[in-house]
Amino acid sequence: MTGETMVHEVYTLRRGGSALVVSMPHCGTGLFDGLEARLTPEALDLADTDWHIPELYDFAAEFDATIIAARLSRYVVDLNRPSSGESLYPGQATTGLCPTTLFDGRPLYLAGAEPDAAEIAGRVASYWQPYHAALAAELDRAKAAHGRALLWDAHSIRGVVPRLFEGRLPDLNIGTARGASMSPDRRGRVAAAAAAAAGPAGYTHVVDGRFVGGHITRSYGRPDQGVEAIQMELVQETYMEENGPPFSFLPERAARIRPVLKAVMAAFIG
């Protein structure tokens, strides 16, 4: 039923009535029993989390969006990677399906405690599959009700991560799988809205720059099949303290960036 909230071991799902489905695959901080003891002290900070994304996107309720948010850390399994473990950015530094390093390259696990192939397969079955089954079901439900589904994949990242990219990222990084995950008209509206909203507010943006969209954007975005998808990779400094624990949410910064996100989301919805 529209408006209901379901809490699963892997995700929280709030069902809306519009065509918009917002996915938050990296906001979780949970670890399964026994994993904490296997991680390095640095990993236990969970620094690579997309912190506070549900709070930042509280305005999505105004669009009557369905929201699915991960409860478990990306260190358990990365929900925005293919279950095969295939790299999304061949030849570039990245992290894997069950990462063994932090974004900065330091070990995630204590020596000898890394998951083997059997454990990775188990994590895919127990944690990756339920999230994607729920996401696919909600997209199908939205498409059945509205003739189409609109998927917004919400992410954030530190603005400077030398191992992953040079320099500082633009504040808003919009991914459309280089135009494959949405129609040209919708992509044009999104790009125009980002330029109109971000620049005057003092933010930078790029469309299909370093991040063109991960597994979720690329695999579900099928305009010819009635599903259009976008990834928004937001620099964390725009709404929080990104440089070390406790990674605090900063309400005044969030209040400044929200209207920009809302304008881009409205253009995506069209």
Side-chain angles (χ1 to χ4, degrees), residues 2 11 13-14 18 51 55 61 63 65 71 79 84 110 117 130 154 171 214 221-222 226 239 244 250 261:
T2 299
Y11 58 82
L13 173 65
R14 185 262 181 202
S18 74
W51 296 99
E55 185 173 1
F63 295 110
R71 299 184 64 203
L79 300 169
S84 64
L110 299 172
D171 296 311
R222 296 286 185 269
Y239 72 94
L250 301 176
L261 292 172

Side-chain angles (χ1 to χ4, degrees), residues 114-124:
E114 301 87 349
D116 60 17
E119 181 179 350
I120 291 172
R123 293 190 196 183
V124 169

Side-chain angles (χ1 to χ4, degrees), residues 17 35 40-41 102 134 150 186 189 200 204 213 232 265 270:
L35 181 57
T40 63
L102 304 174
L150 301 171
R186 195 176 304 277
R189 289 199 302 271
T204 56
M232 176 64 77
M265 185 174 282

Side-chain angles (χ1 to χ4, degrees), residues 28-53:
T29 57
L31 302 172
F32 61 78
D33 288 346
L35 181 57
E36 182 175 345
R38 297 164 59 187
L39 301 183
T40 63
E42 296 81 12
L44 291 174
D45 289 336
L46 304 179
D48 301 332
T49 302
D50 293 10
W51 296 99
H52 312 297
I53 287 291

Side-chain angles (χ1 to χ4, degrees), residues 99-117:
T100 56
T101 63
L102 304 174
F103 282 179
D104 61 14
R106 289 179 296 171
L108 198 154
Y109 288 89
L110 299 172
E114 301 87 349
D116 60 17

Side-chain angles (χ1 to χ4, degrees), residues 31-265:
L31 302 172
F32 61 78
D33 288 346
L35 181 57
E36 182 175 345
R38 297 164 59 187
L39 301 183
T40 63
E42 296 81 12
L44 291 174
D45 289 336
L46 304 179
D48 301 332
T49 302
D50 293 10
W51 296 99
H52 312 297
I53 287 291
E55 185 173 1
L56 179 66
Y57 278 91
D58 60 2
F59 63 86
E62 299 175 32
F63 295 110
D64 199 14
T66 292
I67 300 172
I68 178 169
R71 299 184 64 203
L72 299 179
S73 170
R74 67 188 301 160
Y75 296 166
V76 174
V77 68
D78 193 326
L79 300 169
N80 201 31
R81 298 290 184 271
S83 60
S84 64
E86 176 186 358
S87 175
L88 292 171
Y89 295 95
Q92 299 183 57
T94 186
T95 54
L97 174 64
C98 290
T100 56
T101 63
L102 304 174
F103 282 179
D104 61 14
R106 289 179 296 171
L108 198 154
Y109 288 89
L110 299 172
E114 301 87 349
D116 60 17
E119 181 179 350
I120 291 172
R123 293 190 196 183
V124 169
S126 297
Y127 309 122
W128 192 98
Q129 292 287 0
Y131 186 92
H132 282 273
L135 177 56
E138 293 306 313
L139 292 171
D140 287 345
R141 183 183 62 83
K143 188 165 67 169
H146 301 282
R148 61 175 181 169
L150 301 171
L151 172 59
W152 180 288
D153 204 38
H155 296 262
S156 71
I157 191 171
R158 297 190 298 279
V160 177
V161 186
R163 177 174 169 264
L164 300 185
F165 48 82
E166 295 182 1
R168 185 187 186 277
L169 285 176
D171 296 311
L172 291 88
N173 299 267
I174 296 168
T176 74
R178 300 183 178 90
S181 68
M182 68 175 72
S183 68
D185 287 348
R186 195 176 304 277
R187 187 175 187 268
R189 289 199 302 271
V190 165
Y203 299 107
T204 56
H205 80 283
V206 68
V207 179
D208 291 319
R210 170 60 178 88
F211 297 102
V212 302
H215 173 71
I216 289 172
T217 305
R218 300 186 203 188
S219 63
Y220 292 102
R222 296 286 185 269
D224 59 335
Q225 298 175 25
V227 180
E228 305 202 36
I230 182 174
Q231 176 175 298
M232 176 64 77
E233 187 80 66
L234 187 67
V235 166
Q236 291 175 336
E237 190 179 34
T238 61
Y239 72 94
M240 59 168 278
E241 173 51 60
E242 66 175 39
N243 293 315
F247 303 107
S248 301
F249 186 75
L250 301 176
E252 291 186 2
R253 291 189 189 181
R256 285 191 59 231
I257 194 68
R258 277 196 189 102
V260 178
L261 292 172
K262 189 174 179 179
V264 178
M265 185 174 282

